[in-house]
Amino acid sequence: MESAVRIDSRFPQVGTTIFTVMSALAAEVGAVNLSQGFPDFQAEPVLFDALHRHMLAGHNQYAPMAGMPALRQAIVDKVASLYGTRFDVEREVTVTAGATQALFTAIAAFVRPGDEVIVFNPVYDSYAPAIETVGGTVVHAHLRFPDYAPDWSEVAALVTPRTRMIVVNSPHNPTGSLLSAVDLEKLAEIVRGTDIVVLSDEVYEHIVFDGAQHESLCAHPELAARSLVVSSFGKTYHITGWKIGYIVGPQALMAEFRKVHQFNVFTVHAPSQLALADYMQDAARHAALAGFYEQKRDCFLDLMAGTPFEWLPCRGTYFQLARYGHFSDLPDRAFAEWLAREVGVAVIPLSAFNHDGRDERVVRFCFAKREETLAEAAHRLKRAL
Ligand code: PMP
Ligand code: GLN
């Protein structure tokens, strides 16, 4: 249908997310989809049984605005046991429609027109559009290729009186890098004495490898006092389609967050929250995740031995970066399209995460897949490359 109005697009530069584009291309051409980050295996049936049970028991009406008390309690207990900070169940935790909504709502609650928000490039795709939607200015610090560590002197130089927020993400999508305890100290030094809010995207908190520890901002008392920390059950329990996550932080920050949240989604799917509260009772489930995905990463790399890619370090998340510039001159988007169409394996071109489109001839593979899926991808790559 023809639109009756002339639209002056608010976001003329924004197209469809690269994850949607690559998953659609994979489906169209029958490629093994190692692009968008989601598991191709099932969660445990006991989680689905719990969901069904809660629906049949009649828990199908609005949950409280902040989330079901049982789930908030389970979250607070988990955070306390892992990171040593006990948030208040009533005032300091909110259940959200995935991490995406938590991030968007937090940005909307704190960033005003003209405020600056520092993000680290390569940057997860939802941060900048959220900042710009509310009139903020995105300021880019850089995680530098190939180790993707923050340069805190650069960050310090980017802080101005207009800086309202810094967004950090560890374990980091797409690079698989981790913030260290030293990084958190440097960040704390930079924000000390300011009113800068830190928004910490920790959706891969349970997926860290090789004996490393996740350095949650919840575990750093000075930073925790000015931070909102976000996580996602989609990543932790293999249910990205449920779109349930949470945010924790000091009550004054959470009160502001909820002012927006209540008019944004108001509340989140009730029976799923109860099922998750039951499922969280067994801490072994999230504790097992690091070993589970470390084994997948190692299996993926073993299967891929013999392909010409050069693999970059992957210290957490379920993404593995690879360089290909030594065997193809194609820019990364063209390379990813060629790989999907001609080789039958879909990946994400890393320039999609670079605000300036910088292309280091790197692509991202998602290894949250069954071994047979990874083996089929490896087979196709070895046959063609
Ligand atoms: N942050 C990062 C770094 C992510 O990788 C993702 C998604 N995979 C999200 C946020 C969004 O999580 P959710 O699906 O729970 O909205
Ligand atoms: N976070 C997922 C990824 O990085 C994708 C989520 C989405 O499609 N928006 O692949």
Side-chain angles (χ1 to χ4, degrees):
M1 192 187 294
E2 281 280 297
S3 165
V5 293
R6 190 180 54 78
I7 297 162
D8 176 16
S9 175
R10 182 93 187 275
F11 299 108
Q13 311 305 330
V14 174
T16 305
T17 83
I18 190 68
F19 310 120
T20 304
V21 168
M22 291 311 300
S23 276
L25 180 61
E28 180 197 322
V29 302
V32 179
N33 189 1
L34 306 189
S35 63
Q36 193 177 24
F38 62 88
D40 75 342
F41 43 84
Q42 274 282 47
E44 288 185 288
V46 65
L47 177 59
F48 307 133
D49 291 343
L51 174 61
H52 195 216
R53 197 174 62 246
H54 288 296
M55 285 177 155
L56 291 178
H59 298 292
N60 301 299
Q61 309 310 327
Y62 293 128
M65 183 267 275
M68 284 290 191
L71 182 56
R72 282 189 274 132
Q73 185 67 56
I75 293 165
V76 162
D77 290 346
K78 182 196 82 167
V79 171
S81 94
L82 288 179
Y83 308 126
T85 301
R86 181 161 287 279
F87 289 99
D88 183 89
V89 177
E90 292 305 321
R91 287 181 291 270
E92 298 188 322
V93 53
T94 303
V95 180
T96 60
T100 309
Q101 183 246 316
L103 293 161
F104 196 100
T105 301
I107 288 165
F110 289 96
V111 178
R112 297 177 207 190
D115 284 349
E116 294 172 3
V117 180
I118 298 177
V119 303
F120 292 83
N121 191 82
V123 59
Y124 184 62
D125 72 337
S126 81
Y127 307 162
I131 295 161
E132 285 165 358
T133 298
V134 296
T137 302
V138 183
V139 176
H140 290 273
H142 297 90
L143 304 174
R144 291 195 199 279
F145 177 80
D147 64 344
Y148 297 109
D151 172 351
W152 294 108
S153 57
E154 181 197 21
V155 179
L158 292 172
V159 171
T160 76
R162 305 227 64 158
T163 308
R164 187 78 192 97
M165 182 180 267
I166 298 180
V167 186
V168 293
N169 169 217
S170 177
H172 186 257
N173 178 8
T175 68
S177 62
L178 305 178
L179 291 179
S180 66
V182 173
D183 288 318
L184 298 201
E185 279 311 311
K186 297 264 167 76
L187 174 60
E189 263 169 45
I190 290 172
V191 294
R192 195 169 292 146
T194 71
D195 287 321
I196 297 172
V197 173
V198 180
L199 180 58
S200 186
D201 180 348
E202 303 186 11
V203 298
Y204 302 102
E205 62 178 319
H206 303 298
I207 313 180
V208 292
F209 305 138
D210 309 319
Q213 195 189 319
H214 169 56
E215 298 291 342
S216 175
L217 269 64
C218 295
H220 190 290
E222 185 185 352
L223 284 172
R226 62 168 69 240
S227 298
L228 287 163
V229 177
V230 173
S231 191
S232 170
F233 293 110
K235 307 295 167 186
T236 303
Y237 295 141
H238 317 308
I239 46 165
T240 61
W242 284 30
K243 291 298 296 184
I244 301 189
Y246 64 85
I247 185 161
V248 294
Q251 58 177 280
L253 297 187
M254 193 58 70
E256 292 303 308
F257 177 90
R258 288 181 183 174
K259 287 179 188 173
V260 182
H261 175 79
Q262 65 186 337
F263 297 118
N264 184 358
V265 290
F266 175 55
T267 186
V268 178
H269 194 258
S272 303
Q273 294 191 49
L274 293 172
L276 284 165
D278 292 349
Y279 197 71
M280 283 187 82
Q281 298 309 314
D282 184 354
R285 294 190 167 119
H286 57 254
L289 208 63
F292 174 79
Y293 276 120
E294 182 170 323
Q295 191 268 330
K296 285 230 172 277
R297 179 200 62 180
D298 294 347
C299 165
F300 173 77
L301 290 174
D302 282 349
L303 287 164
M304 290 292 166
T307 66
F309 289 100
E310 185 189 317
W311 306 101
L312 295 176
C314 166
R315 303 174 61 213
T317 77
Y318 46 53
F319 303 115
Q320 171 68 59
L321 297 188
R323 302 175 77 169
Y324 67 86
H326 50 290
F327 67 87
S328 168
D329 284 338
L330 288 174
D332 67 355
R333 283 177 187 266
F335 179 78
E337 179 158 0
W338 172 80
L339 207 64
R341 286 188 189 281
E342 305 302 328
V343 180
V345 178
V347 298
I348 299 287
L350 211 72
S351 65
F353 295 86
N354 285 337
H355 71 104
D356 53 4
R358 186 193 324 196
D359 175 4
E360 273 130 359
R361 306 291 199 264
V362 175
V363 289
R364 188 196 80 174
F365 290 79
C366 172
F367 56 78
K369 305 294 169 189
R370 286 169 291 147
E371 186 170 342
E372 67 211 71
T373 308
L374 299 175
E376 176 60 24
H379 168 71
R380 293 182 183 198
L381 290 167
K382 283 182 201 159
R383 195 177 52 194
L385 299 178

